Amino acid sequence: MKTAVAITGIGLISPLGNQVEAVFSRLMAGESGIRLLDAEVTGCKPAVVGAAEFDPAPWFTRLQLSGVDRVSQMAVAAATLALEDAALTLPAEREQVGVYVGCAMGGSSALDKGFHNFYAEKSRVSPLSVIASMANAPAGHISMRFGITGPSVNYSVACASSAIALGEAMRAIRHGEITHAIAGGAEAMLLPGIINAWQSMQVLASTAGEHPEQACRPYDKERSGLVLAEGAAFLILEGLDAALARGARIYATLDGYACRSDATHITKPDVGGQVRTMRAALADAGLSAGQIGYCNSHGTATQVGDVVECQALQSIWGEDTPGLQVSATKSMHGHLLGATGGLETAITALVLYHQQVPPTANCRQLDENCRVQHVLGKGVAAPDLQAAISNSFAFGGSNASLVLQRHQA
């Protein structure tokens, strides 16, 4: 018999703040954490980004910080907050605990500084650049911080990274390999070189004139592209029975997961691949499409991606099906690349816990090719909501979907 898996803790370092309930309140109000970086910061054209307000001082000593990139700093902070939120004392046998992290870019700041020292200043590159920039550094630092000797793994699968990390952590608990997991993702890549590379792809949102906070407009007819963001989001996963036994608050249960490949194009999404992924996740959860009442969509605000995802949703749920409410919260927090799945799964768990659905912000004129039941403007109550799905679709054609259910206390 498979072990049911509960989400009992959430920790966030995000463009919308670091306190879970305050972040959810801002989302429900349709508030944005996106702001403008001028040309002096980007080194090229101005750009809108979702930057996290984060001070590492409470989490690391000055000596420790010398070899810890921003991405690992935020990961440790968010993981610690998640454990505190879960009111969880880790088991004495730490081999029964796993750390599952999604991080696509790794320690970008350390790598950027190393290149600058070598090419621009012709100076010595710090040997700490290697360990600070490796993609699995956040997982290693979390494991060391809490003495965790179970699995410590990183998934680098572009925008699906932390959704896959959560799914694999769920599987490990479900099949008895571990009893607890700290799972999620982190990303910190708001640097001139990276921003300029994305600008060159012509997929970033315009600066939106006097209202940069409105730049990300998923499903809007006039949408101009995605908004890069940074942050970390971690969830505490544990067996449902064990969580109930210790009287834990249960945000939701994580019941379904699937990862499938488009195998068609390195950047262009595919309807068939997304449909296969969602159907497989539903089957893993043992639920039908009609039982899902909310979708936290991938919804990046690109011209092609938004249409493809809506077509995939229509293929499963049918166009204008009233039973499925859809929103793209990236409109307010931006796209955290490898950390996005973690943040959006946390949001989906909060949606089920509060039975309230946040909106897609900034969508003023819905694209006629994106006809599903969007929640626009402000959030809405959803008193009958019992199950939800969160989608993460990545460059490379890797897709991941997670299915969550409301816990009936």
Side-chain angles (χ1 to χ4, degrees):
M1 183 176 178
K2 295 187 297 187
T3 300
V5 177
I7 298 169
T8 57
I10 296 173
L12 304 177
I13 303 294
S14 84
L16 287 164
N18 305 337
Q19 297 182 348
V20 172
E21 292 301 329
V23 168
F24 191 69
S25 294
R26 293 189 68 185
L27 287 166
M28 287 298 297
E31 294 182 15
S32 174
I34 293 168
R35 62 182 177 87
L36 181 68
L37 290 183
D38 61 29
E40 290 186 6
V41 178
T42 66
C44 188
K45 296 183 296 183
V48 282
V49 301
E53 293 294 331
F54 176 68
D55 178 7
W59 314 98
F60 292 88
T61 66
R62 291 183 63 183
L63 180 61
Q64 289 172 328
L65 285 173
S66 62
V68 184
D69 189 89
R70 180 175 175 85
V71 69
S72 295
Q73 296 167 18
M74 292 195 293
V76 167
T80 304
L81 291 171
L83 282 168
E84 292 174 354
D85 187 56
L88 176 65
T89 300
L90 291 174
E93 182 50 74
R94 297 297 168 86
E95 192 176 352
Q96 292 299 309
V97 184
V99 177
Y100 293 75
V101 181
C103 181
M105 301 291 292
S108 299
S109 296
L111 202 58
D112 184 72
K113 184 177 181 180
F115 284 142
H116 179 79
N117 288 347
F118 183 77
Y119 288 109
E121 296 186 358
K122 308 296 184 184
S123 62
R124 176 178 176 269
V125 177
S126 170
L128 297 178
S129 299
V130 175
I131 57 174
S133 64
M134 60 190 190
N136 69 317
H141 282 289
I142 293 171
S143 297
M144 290 186 293
R145 178 61 59 104
F146 300 107
I148 294 170
T149 56
S152 179
V153 291
N154 179 77
Y155 297 87
S156 183
V157 198
C159 312
S161 298
S162 52
I164 291 173
L166 281 159
E168 295 299 330
M170 179 201 74
R171 282 180 174 172
I173 295 174
R174 176 190 279 181
H175 296 295
E177 297 172 16
I178 55 174
T179 60
H180 298 76
I182 303 172
E187 206 76 87
M189 64 327 176
L190 298 181
L191 299 163
I194 294 174
I195 292 172
N196 286 318
W198 282 85
Q199 286 176 331
S200 296
M201 291 183 68
Q202 299 182 337
V203 295
L204 294 189
S206 69
T207 55
E210 297 179 357
H211 299 284
E213 72 280 0
Q214 299 176 11
C216 190
R217 299 164 62 183
Y219 308 118
D220 189 278
K221 188 175 182 180
E222 301 299 326
R223 63 190 180 278
S224 58
L226 62 87
V227 169
L228 292 176
E230 65 173 0
F234 281 86
L235 284 66
I236 302 303
L237 306 183
E238 56 184 300
L240 177 59
D241 289 344
L244 291 172
R246 72 178 184 88
R249 173 191 49 208
I250 297 170
Y251 285 110
T253 56
L254 183 53
D255 297 302
Y257 158 63
C259 178
R260 297 289 188 273
S261 176
D262 290 342
T264 56
H265 194 278
I266 198 69
T267 58
K268 184 179 179 180
D270 176 69
V271 173
Q274 294 182 8
V275 168
R276 287 191 296 273
T277 306
M278 287 187 278
R279 287 197 189 281
L282 291 170
D284 188 49
L287 297 177
S288 66
Q291 293 174 280
I292 305 296
Y294 170 64
C295 174
N296 188 303
S297 67
H298 187 59
T300 60
T302 60
Q303 286 292 329
V304 175
D306 284 9
V307 173
V308 168
E309 186 171 9
C310 286
Q311 289 173 345
L313 293 172
Q314 291 166 9
S315 295
I316 299 174
W317 279 272
E319 187 173 349
D320 294 326
T321 299
L324 183 74
Q325 295 179 299
V326 179
S327 66
T329 54
K330 287 185 181 70
S331 58
M332 295 171 278
H333 55 67
H335 195 349
L336 288 73
L337 300 187
T340 295
L343 177 56
E344 291 175 347
T345 303
I347 292 168
T348 304
L350 290 166
V351 167
L352 289 163
Y353 184 71
H354 292 290
Q355 292 190 299
Q356 297 177 335
V357 175
T360 298
N362 312 317
C363 182
R364 295 184 287 271
Q365 185 178 2
L366 188 64
D367 187 331
E368 62 183 12
N369 297 308
C370 295
R371 294 293 180 185
V372 292
Q373 288 296 321
H374 298 281
V375 177
L376 302 177
K378 304 289 184 180
V380 298
D384 298 324
L385 182 63
Q386 297 299 317
I389 190 167
S390 179
N391 289 332
S392 296
F393 302 140
F395 279 179
S398 295
N399 305 311
S401 292
L402 296 166
V403 176
L404 293 76
Q405 293 192 76
R406 176 177 169 82
H407 174 66
Q408 304 297 331

